[in-house]
């Protein structure tokens, strides 16, 4: 086995999942997104927790040139400037997919989303908004009213141990992390069985290993995470 835990290679920044794993819990959302590509309309993709929606979007739509995948600018733009940027990117596309960060949006970004929905309706464009938020975070009121009028489909994170294991293995493969075989079973046994907590645990272990140069095994993982066998 390699002496190094990570390889010194330039690895593209991929989001959440590594290579997409089509697990049982995501079948309904995947099927509905495929139907949206046929029938169009306005669709709101949400989830109760971390579920890999951004990666699902990339997996479903990256091979479709008629789909424009839109994201908020890294710069703090006014609502008018952000809307203009999105419209410029999507001008020649029939399908628009807006991938938003979870939680409360800034005032200007919230209004930009509201106006994008209005433009999609006026221009008869198919629009999918991917956004996870609580009812209190669904603002401004104009945006809330538009979203609640849209069909909502919920993405679900993997729930079975086998599906979780496949997703985590994909993440580790993308990270090019040489993790001992005892680590994943240890995580599944001692960390709450949900994607958010398991990915957070892997991030903690990866950070520790990079800082110390130590390879990870099951016993070391429990110690680093403050857990006890």
């Amino acid at each position: 086995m390699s002496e190094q835990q990570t390889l010194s290679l330039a690895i593209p920044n991929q989001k959440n999942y590594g290579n997409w794993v089509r697990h049982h819990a995501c079948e309904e959302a995947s099927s509905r997104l495929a139907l949206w590509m046929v029938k169009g309309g306005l669709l709101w993709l949400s989830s109760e927790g971390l579920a890999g929606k951004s990666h699902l979007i990339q997996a479903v739509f990256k091979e479709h040139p008629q789909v424009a995948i839109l994201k908020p600018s890294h710069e703090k733009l006014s609502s008018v400037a952000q809307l203009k940027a999105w419209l410029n990117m999507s001008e020649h596309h029939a399908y628009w997919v807006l991938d938003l960060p979870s939680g409360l949006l800034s005032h200007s970004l919230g209004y930009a989303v509201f106006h994008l929905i209005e433009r999609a309706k006026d221009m008869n464009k198919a629009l999918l908004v991917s956004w996870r938020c609580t009812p209190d975070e669904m603002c401004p009121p104009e945006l809330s009213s538009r979203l609640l009028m849209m069909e909502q489909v919920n993405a679900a994170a993997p729930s079975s141990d086998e599906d979780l294991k496949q997703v985590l293995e994909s993440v580790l493969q993308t990270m090019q992390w040489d993790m001992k075989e005892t680590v994943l079973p240890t995580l599944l046994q001692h960390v709450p069985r949900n994607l958010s907590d398991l990915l957070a645990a892997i991030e903690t272990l990866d950070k520790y290993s990079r800082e110390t140069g130590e390879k990870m095994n099951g016993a070391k993982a429990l110690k680093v995470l403050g857990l006890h066998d």
Side-chain angles (χ1 to χ4, degrees), residues 40-175:
L42 303 177
L43 190 64
W44 176 20
L45 176 64
S46 186
S47 62
E48 293 185 2
L50 181 66
K53 295 186 299 301
S54 295
H55 203 86
L56 174 60
I57 286 170
Q58 293 292 332
V60 173
F61 299 124
K62 67 180 180 180
E63 302 299 332
H64 295 276
Q66 69 270 41
V67 177
I69 298 180
L70 310 173
K71 296 183 179 183
S73 172
H74 294 298
E75 304 174 2
K76 292 184 179 180
L77 301 179
S78 67
S79 59
V80 174
Q82 179 62 86
L83 176 63
K84 183 178 180 180
W86 286 336
L87 293 176
N88 286 340
M89 292 178 61
S90 59
E91 180 181 3
H92 301 295
H93 298 77
Y95 294 82
W96 301 353
V97 176
L98 178 59
D99 189 12
L100 296 170
S102 62
L104 185 66
L105 305 179
S106 68
H107 181 82
S108 59
L109 181 56
Y111 274 104
V113 177
F114 161 72
H115 286 295
L116 184 71
I117 296 173
E118 291 296 287
R119 288 296 185 93
K121 290 166 57 180
D122 292 342
M123 300 170 67
N124 197 28
K125 298 287 188 176
L127 173 64
L128 185 150
V129 177
S130 175
W131 184 32
R132 170 165 56 94
C133 62
T134 65
D136 291 341
E137 293 170 333
M138 198 185 304
C139 55
E142 293 89 341
L143 173 58
S144 175
S145 67
R146 294 302 183 274
L147 285 172
L148 293 175
M149 292 175 62
M150 296 166 63
E151 179 188 352
Q152 182 177 1
V153 58
N154 287 302
S159 55
S160 70
D161 282 2
E162 182 59 32
D163 286 343
L164 283 168
K165 184 172 181 289
Q166 289 185 41
V167 169
L168 297 178
E169 286 175 344
S170 178
V171 171
L172 296 174
Q173 183 178 9
T174 300
M175 295 167 64

